[in-house]
């Protein structure tokens, strides 16, 4: 005859074992959350650590994904309809063209080349493994399309470009690339792309080199005595030229009246090649109120 206490003992041991399993599972989850999962063995499928709530929430960073959603809305595949395609073959010859594009201005830009898209505030955008032939290029600023064109790409060739929001896209170079990335070569392309002399501010498109600016400045002072004439000459030059902050400071300082100085400093901001140094222009004003108004104007752009 089996003792009734034996059944009670079995039940207690079973509950202890269950509680132990729950405890061990909890400790395992805590360990994973603290340290993350390891890479595992070759061929092992790693666990998706994203929660259901995270995966269902909009993947948005300050609304910047709107560009991607708009550009790719026709290519999205619903999550539930995705499955392995047994007939899929890896395309080893998809493309070997490259595009290096730089935007030497402050701001957050998104560049789309073909089916690739890069968004950042660094100003440098590198695209690899692009198909050869005609390739659309789109540039967005803060979610809005500001430029679109088409490039002609060739396999094993790199195209190097400069983009300026108030002018457009400049082709700097196109050359063959043989199984190497050559990031340093990319930076070297900007050493003298627009004919500027060594030591000048060469990183901002068709900015005036120092020698040309001195000639322009002396000619303006020699031929134009009044503010209206000087400003008209500067406005005409701005149609095809960018200036450094130091050059803009000298031009603004040559104007006699503070209200004219302020109007010129505001209009020249869009043609400034190094906007991060625009504080230098404040020295051109005689009145503190004009400096503050220019600061407020720039802060709202």
């Amino acid at each position: 005859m089996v003792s009734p206490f034996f059944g009670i003992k079995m039940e207690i041991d079973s509950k202890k074992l269950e509680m132990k399993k729950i405890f061990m599972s909890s400790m395992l989850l805590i360990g994973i959350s603290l340290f993350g999962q390891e890479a595992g063995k070759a061929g092992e499928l790693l666990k998706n650590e994203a929660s259901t709530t995270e995966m269902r929430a909009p993947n948005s960073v300050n609304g910047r994904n709107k560009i991607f959603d708009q550009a790719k809305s026709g290519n999205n595949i619903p999550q539930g309809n995705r499955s392995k395609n047994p007939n899929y073959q890896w395309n080893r010859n998809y493309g070997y063209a490259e595009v290096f594009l730089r935007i030497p201005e402050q701001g957050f830009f998104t560049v789309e080349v073909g089916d690739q898209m890069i968004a950042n505030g660094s100003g440098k955008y590198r695209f690899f493994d692009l198909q050869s032939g005609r390739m659309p290029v789109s540039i967005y600023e803060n979610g809005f399309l500001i430029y679109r064109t088409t490039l002609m790409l060739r396999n094993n060739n790199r195209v190097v470009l400069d983009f300026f929001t108030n002018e457009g896209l400049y082709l700097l170079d196109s050359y063959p690339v043989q199984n190497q990335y050559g990031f340093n070569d990319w930076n070297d392309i900007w050493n003298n792309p627009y004919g500027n002399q060594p030591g000048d501010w060469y990183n901002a498109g068709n900015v005036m080199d120092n020698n040309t600016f001195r000639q322009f400045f002396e000619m303006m002072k020699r031929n134009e005595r009044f503010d209206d004439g000087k400003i008209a000459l500067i406005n005409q030059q701005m149609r095809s030229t960018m200036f450094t902050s130091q050059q803009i400071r000298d031009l603004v300082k040559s104007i006699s009246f503070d209200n004219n100085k302020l109007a010129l400093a505001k209009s020249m901001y869009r043609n400034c090649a190094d906007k991060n140094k625009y504080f230098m222009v404040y020295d051109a004003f005689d009145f503190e109120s004009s400096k503050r108004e220019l600061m407020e104007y720039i802060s709202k752009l």
Side-chain angles (χ1 to χ4, degrees), residues 54-231:
E54 289 175 322
M55 291 190 291
R56 288 179 178 176
N59 182 21
S60 176
V61 181
N62 297 329
R64 289 170 183 166
N65 69 309
K66 292 179 181 178
I67 304 168
F68 185 84
D69 291 339
Q70 293 169 0
K72 300 296 181 185
S73 59
N75 298 330
N76 286 339
I77 303 174
Q79 184 73 23
N81 296 338
R82 295 178 181 173
S83 62
K84 292 182 179 180
N85 182 358
N87 298 321
Y88 174 77
Q89 296 293 326
W90 176 261
N91 186 354
R92 298 180 181 275
N93 299 313
Y94 178 80
Y96 297 100
E98 300 178 2
V99 170
F100 282 15
L101 189 147
R102 189 190 67 156
I103 306 178
E105 302 177 14
Q106 287 184 318
F108 187 92
F109 296 91
T110 301
V111 180
E112 183 181 21
V113 181
D115 60 358
Q116 298 185 31
M117 181 177 285
I118 298 175
N120 62 49
S122 71
K124 290 184 177 182
Y125 306 84
R126 302 176 173 100
F127 296 87
F128 302 94
D129 302 321
L130 295 166
Q131 284 184 309
S132 60
R134 294 172 58 84
M135 186 66 62
V137 177
S138 301
I139 300 175
Y140 305 83
E141 183 179 15
N142 297 322
F144 295 93
L145 179 67
I146 59 173
Y147 190 85
R148 177 172 287 152
T149 188
T150 302
L151 299 175
M152 182 60 69
L153 304 181
R154 293 189 299 167
N155 273 334
N156 301 313
N157 272 257
R158 177 181 300 154
V159 174
V160 184
L161 305 157
D162 251 355
F163 176 77
F164 302 94
T165 53
N166 64 329
E167 296 182 36
L169 200 63
Y170 287 88
L171 174 64
L172 298 186
D173 202 358
S174 178
Y175 56 93
V177 180
Q178 297 180 350
N179 300 323
Q180 51 89 23
Y181 289 103
F183 291 143
N184 292 332
D185 294 341
W186 182 40
N187 292 328
D188 291 342
I189 292 296
W190 278 282
N191 282 346
N192 191 18
Y194 303 100
N196 297 323
Q197 298 300 318
D200 289 335
W201 207 91
Y202 53 76
N203 281 334
N206 57 338
V207 64
M208 269 195 179
D209 60 79
N210 292 336
N211 293 332
T212 304
F213 176 76
R214 282 193 290 269
Q215 294 174 11
F216 173 76
F217 190 72
E218 292 300 324
M219 181 274 294
M220 181 189 70
K221 291 196 301 182
R222 185 170 60 250
N223 297 332
E224 303 293 344
R225 296 178 56 190
F226 302 103
D227 286 359
D228 290 346
K230 292 178 181 178
I231 292 174

